[in-house]
Amino acid sequence: MVRVTNLLPEGPGSLRAALAQKSARLVVFEVGGVIDLKGVPLRIEAPQAFVAGETAPAPGITLIRGSLIIEADHVIVRHLAVRPGDGRPRADAPWEPDGITIVRGSVPVHDVLIQNCSATWAVDENMSASGPRDVRRAAGVDATSHDIAFRNNLIGEALLNSTHAKGAHSMGLLIHDGIRNVTIDGNLFAHNRERNPRLKGGVSGAVINNVIYDWGSAAIGVGSKGNLEMLDGVRAVVRGNIAIGGVDTKGKVLVRAVDPGASVLANFNLARDATGRELKELDEGITRLREGESSGGGPRPDLRQNLIAVLSGAGFRPAERDEIDRRIVESVINGTGRIIDSQEEVGGYPKRAETKRALTVPDGKAKRLEWLEQMMKALEFDPQVNASALLKRLNLPR
């Protein structure tokens, strides 16, 4: 077990020092507040890291001006906020940070869980999973990252006209070439132009029970193209999702064929534009799979319950949301907000006093896990969410 005891960007007691350790480690926090990474990303390069952000005292841990990069297997990251923003440390240097990204480098990266985190204001993607380019299924599962889950996260307000070399960007969650067994479940996507999420060629996985609000040109994107080559088509289950158009929504379909070749089992989804008009579920050029052709069967989801669960439980501290997450959730409920170019349009980087709390951690693995679950459950649900007006507006089927 490693304790984080200060908010410094590096040095003894810092989060960077805790993540740099090579042995199996449970990272706990005796401090809360904002860590300014000053443009230098945090990296998890050794396996078996459990980053338990739920152990931090209020207001929790928020990272600004930098990314969290995971390059190891068997990693869990929970209850952190990552908000890179456009505050580049040097005006003459490139600045295209992700929020949280999973990258396969020289070794396979797999069995990674990102749960109850908030990722906003990225210049590239708010979240992503990647590896070598143009990976085909025939190369084997370890040729790139695999077995990854994104659950109950808030993924929003990726920056549009910012410092990206390609110009206008604003991207939510990107799953790169050939990644298999990815689960994207119970997340809130809000005010990202595209990639809510985007599955590239060769990807297999499930996009289930998410809420997508105020996308621009694309909500969920699929296809078969990798970086340069046409690969195997995406095979995905898209089930129980709710997409609600906002002021910046131009896309007219829930699942867009960015390029042809994808196969999708899509059922029990709902997509509406900002006026309440129902949108098409699958784009032309996508092969619709049937029950039995994929592993996506199961009971009919309760869309009303899915909506409330996501609005109540997504993000890094749902039971005591910070002003940023609360504003974004309220924008979904009220039909407000829009895609932004800079965090300065919505109040800028948070400024919070440092808080401290000594932790007494139980001995023994089983007791520690029980203790962590209790801490996590204390942050799971926002009892103040009232979505009755939104439910009435959507007239969701029971």
Side-chain angles (χ1 to χ4, degrees), residues 63 86 105 145 261 363 373:
L63 310 178
D86 58 15
S145 307
D363 293 330
E373 288 306 309

Side-chain angles (χ1 to χ4, degrees), residues 52-96:
E54 61 266 37
T55 60
I61 296 294
T62 297
L63 310 178
I64 65 170
R65 295 209 302 164
S67 308
L68 174 62
I69 301 174
I70 299 165
E71 301 172 280
D73 61 277
H74 292 91
V75 171
I76 297 172
V77 177
R78 302 198 306 202
H79 291 282
L80 295 183
V82 186
R83 311 194 192 278
D86 58 15
R88 63 169 89 193
R90 286 178 47 194
D92 61 342
W95 184 244
E96 298 179 357

Side-chain angles (χ1 to χ4, degrees), residues 78-241:
R78 302 198 306 202
H79 291 282
L80 295 183
V82 186
R83 311 194 192 278
D86 58 15
R88 63 169 89 193
R90 286 178 47 194
D92 61 342
W95 184 244
E96 298 179 357
D98 279 355
I100 299 175
T101 187
I102 299 161
V103 181
R104 184 208 189 278
S106 59
V107 297
V109 173
H110 55 87
D111 295 284
V112 177
L113 170 64
I114 309 299
Q115 183 175 17
N116 276 112
C117 290
S118 298
T120 63
W121 309 340
V123 176
D124 202 1
E125 278 84 26
N126 275 324
M127 291 190 182
S128 67
S130 68
R133 298 174 177 178
D134 299 311
V135 171
R136 299 179 182 276
R137 291 194 184 111
V141 69
D142 278 337
T144 189
S145 307
H146 62 89
D147 291 281
I148 296 166
F150 298 89
R151 298 185 187 275
N152 310 124
N153 302 295
L154 190 155
I155 303 168
E157 292 187 339
L159 303 184
L160 182 62
N161 297 299
S162 185
T163 57
H164 201 286
K166 294 180 180 178
H169 213 57
S170 184
M171 305 297 174
L173 169 59
L174 176 61
I175 309 299
H176 277 270
D177 314 1
I179 291 175
R180 294 190 227 176
N181 305 331
V182 60
T183 300
I184 301 165
D185 177 14
N187 304 282
L188 174 59
F189 295 87
H191 310 298
N192 308 300
R193 185 177 69 161
E194 296 182 12
R195 303 176 186 173
N196 296 285
R198 163 81 156 100
L199 312 182
K200 294 187 70 178
V203 169
S204 67
V207 182
I208 54 177
N209 307 326
N210 302 283
V211 173
I212 306 164
Y213 172 65
D214 191 34
W215 67 97
S217 54
I220 302 168
V222 297
S224 58
K225 190 175 186 300
N227 182 59
L228 296 174
E229 302 175 12
M230 298 305 289
L231 308 174
D232 310 291
V234 164
R235 289 184 69 87
V237 174
V238 178
R239 183 184 181 91
N241 302 285

Side-chain angles (χ1 to χ4, degrees), residues 363-377:
D363 293 330
K365 182 178 179 181
K367 288 184 178 180
R368 281 196 298 271
L369 288 175
E370 182 181 353
W371 173 74
L372 284 172
E373 288 306 309
Q374 290 173 352
M375 286 223 161
M376 187 173 180
K377 284 183 178 179

Side-chain angles (χ1 to χ4, degrees), residues 210-213 240-244 270 303-304 306-307 394 396:
N210 302 283
V211 173
I212 306 164
Y213 172 65
N241 302 285
I242 300 168
I244 309 165
L270 183 142
L303 292 182
R304 296 170 67 90
N306 283 3
L307 179 66
L394 292 175
L396 284 176

